[in-house]
Amino acid sequence: MINELLLFLDDSPTPFHATNNLAALLEAAGFTHWSGEQDDGRYYETRNDSSIIAWQSAARAPNQGFRMVGAHTDSPCLHVKPNGVIKKHGYLQLGVEVYGAVLQHPWFDRDLALAGRISGPGKKGQIASELINIQRPLGMIPSLAIHLNREANKKNVVNAQEHLPVLLARDDDQESVADILLQLIDTKLSKVSDFELSFYDHQSSSLAGLSQSFITSARLDNLLSCFLGASALTSSKPEQPAILVCTDHEEVGSASTSGAAGTFLASTLRHLTGDQNTSDAIMQKSMLVSADNAHALHPNYPNKHDENHGPIINAGPVIKINANQRYASNSETSAAFRAICAKANVPVQTFVTRADMACGSTIGPITATKLGVPTVDVGIPQLAMHSIRETAGVKDCEYMLKALIAFYNS
Ligand code: ZN
């Protein structure tokens, strides 16, 4: 399972690729693209090529409710600007827009590759899109030498507009991003008129540490939960009404056609259960496990955690609590998740933020608010959240998979 996870992480540099790869995983387990069936089969539906919902045994849901797992397909990164080409001082660079809360320093001095979606008129003039992935070190953001910034280790402020443009070449003939792309890719589009492209770390994920018990990779938040959710669903009993929902745009608030604050899940539920009243009633019999990584205690910065709530890597999934409803867990859903884990022999940790620090959020409260579904926010502990390279634990992935399978089958 861990090697498949690493491949999934490496092959999913953008939410588009993640969605595509999740669909492939599901299809390998007998799920098919939904065309309106309301039976007990296994199906999936996508939206904007960047979000996916998969389900099974929907026809039984009015009696049993759904067991639901939710996660997000997006991660903080640097997006290429539409008129991205910058030619100055003899260099060719691409200007970028910061997507989500990027931890910016780690993006310097990395080999950066480029991937995403391109759109434009196809052969017959209709607008079409393609996914592209240029899997080679295409550019870099070199640091400023310490000799030119003696204060670099004390204060090193990154100005995203001035300091993050990605260096591609010495000055060159290319005048537009499309010019650059056409040199690198084959496309059936007659013209690349628009694109959503982001840079990513060319280095693949690794099993790291003395006993290879850590996973280091980009996008662990939250492709890890997407992969574990899909693996759990495909391993669950097909007769159990169950849903996996992986949506885009969580890192920027989830408000979009494909985000958790949009209509995707609610309208899919309405279509596959028949009507709004049935769908509402089913939600009261259902439960959502919102899976998104949690902050592990950092041994070099222990004071950043409450001393009784510092999750440790490879010590099990974390239940996330926040009285101000930044997490949707309540005592009933937490107790239910804890009981499922106990039965599956999976240890559980608890996270609540320091009382003097602000708390992040997830798709949990958003989905709970929109659907009224009882929800628990959980996640495996990780370090370096939102860095270009994050760290999590192998054992935690195994624990979480066991817990999610047990939840789906409960
Ligand atoms: Zn996340």
Side-chain angles (χ1 to χ4, degrees):
M1 181 274 281
I2 292 297
N3 286 330
E4 288 166 318
L5 166 64
L6 299 187
L7 285 175
F8 176 77
L9 290 164
D10 293 340
D11 286 347
S12 306
T14 74
F16 304 117
H17 294 84
T19 297
N20 212 29
N21 292 331
L22 287 167
L25 257 164
L26 291 160
E27 284 190 5
F31 286 74
T32 54
H33 200 168
W34 191 47
S35 49
E37 296 89 343
Q38 291 185 321
D39 57 21
D40 270 337
R42 292 181 133 183
Y43 302 102
Y44 71 87
E45 180 62 293
T46 63
R47 189 173 277 190
N48 184 44
D49 307 327
S50 66
S51 294
I52 186 164
I53 298 175
W55 65 90
Q56 64 188 21
S57 286
R60 295 167 188 244
N63 289 327
Q64 294 167 250
F66 282 112
R67 295 284 167 270
M68 304 163 67
V69 172
H72 63 89
T73 56
D74 60 321
S75 304
C77 62
L78 304 180
H79 272 234
V80 178
K81 287 181 175 174
N83 300 324
V85 170
I86 303 169
K87 290 183 173 188
K88 270 194 222 165
H89 313 294
Y91 291 108
L92 173 71
Q93 291 174 286
L94 283 182
V96 294
E97 190 182 7
V98 178
Y99 175 82
V102 172
L103 192 58
Q104 294 174 356
H105 285 113
W107 281 75
F108 287 75
D109 307 324
R110 307 296 305 180
D111 290 349
L112 299 178
L114 188 66
R117 181 170 71 173
I118 56 174
S119 303
K123 290 237 164 66
K124 291 173 189 154
Q126 84 294 2
I127 298 301
S129 295
E130 291 173 5
L131 302 195
I132 64 165
N133 186 3
I134 303 160
Q135 290 175 284
R136 67 178 180 86
L138 197 66
M140 72 289 297
I141 310 170
S143 292
L144 183 62
I146 193 157
H147 316 80
L148 304 180
N149 181 13
R150 291 286 179 190
E151 295 289 288
N153 290 328
K154 293 203 180 92
K155 42 184 177 195
N156 193 1
V157 179
V158 178
N159 178 310
Q161 173 68 20
E162 290 177 15
H163 302 154
L164 294 182
V166 176
L167 177 58
L168 293 200
R170 277 295 315 278
D171 198 356
D172 217 304
D173 301 338
Q174 284 92 351
E175 296 300 332
S176 71
V177 176
D179 286 349
I180 295 172
L181 291 177
L182 292 174
Q183 202 192 315
L184 297 164
I185 58 163
D186 290 321
T187 171
K188 293 199 180 89
L189 303 177
S190 57
K191 186 184 168 206
V192 177
S193 54
D194 292 86
F195 47 81
E196 291 168 76
L197 299 173
S198 50
F199 283 102
Y200 68 94
D201 192 353
H202 183 256
Q203 188 182 353
S204 347
S205 53
S206 302
L207 292 182
L210 185 59
S211 49
Q212 296 193 305
S213 59
F214 297 122
I215 299 171
T216 52
S217 172
R219 303 177 297 282
L220 291 176
D221 171 18
N222 190 20
L223 292 186
L224 217 159
S225 306
C226 291
F227 178 85
L228 295 175
S231 303
L233 181 60
T234 55
S235 310
S236 68
K237 293 181 198 149
E239 64 274 18
Q240 169 68 49
I243 291 178
L244 171 72
V245 51
C246 298
T247 46
D248 196 1
H249 299 138
E250 190 272 347
E251 299 293 356
V252 293
S254 291
S256 74
T257 52
S258 50
T263 57
F264 186 28
L265 179 56
S267 66
T268 303
L269 281 168
R270 202 159 53 235
H271 285 133
L272 65 96
T273 58
D275 63 79
Q276 185 68 56
N277 288 345
T278 313
S279 165
D280 287 348
I282 291 172
M283 284 302 103
Q284 293 312 307
K285 294 180 183 169
S286 303
M287 179 168 151
L288 169 68
V289 172
S290 159
D292 199 350
N293 297 351
H295 295 295
L297 180 136
H298 193 310
N300 300 350
Y301 303 88
N303 296 338
K304 293 295 178 183
H305 278 74
D306 178 278
E307 59 185 337
N308 292 337
H309 301 91
I312 301 293
I313 285 184
N314 285 333
V318 180
I319 296 176
K320 301 191 259 182
I321 311 280
N322 182 258
N324 298 299
Q325 301 303 305
R326 302 285 291 163
Y327 300 133
S329 316
N330 63 35
S331 62
E332 287 195 335
T333 56
S334 298
F337 186 76
R338 221 178 279 281
I340 287 162
C341 288
K343 239 181 164 177
N345 265 324
V346 170
V348 178
Q349 311 183 76
T350 310
F351 175 77
V352 61
T353 198
R354 280 176 62 107
D356 55 2
M357 277 172 71
C359 184
S361 192
T362 71
I363 61 150
I366 294 168
T367 311
T369 302
K370 283 194 75 78
L371 300 181
V373 60
T375 299
V376 63
D377 267 298
V378 305
I380 74 165
Q382 75 155 97
L383 294 164
M385 195 177 283
H386 291 191
S387 172
I388 196 167
R389 200 161 179 89
E390 304 174 319
T391 297
V394 171
K395 194 81 202 146
D396 287 327
C397 295
E398 294 163 3
Y399 282 143
M400 186 60 123
L401 180 61
K402 261 173 98 178
L404 293 180
I405 293 173
F407 167 66
Y408 272 138
N409 289 338
S410 67

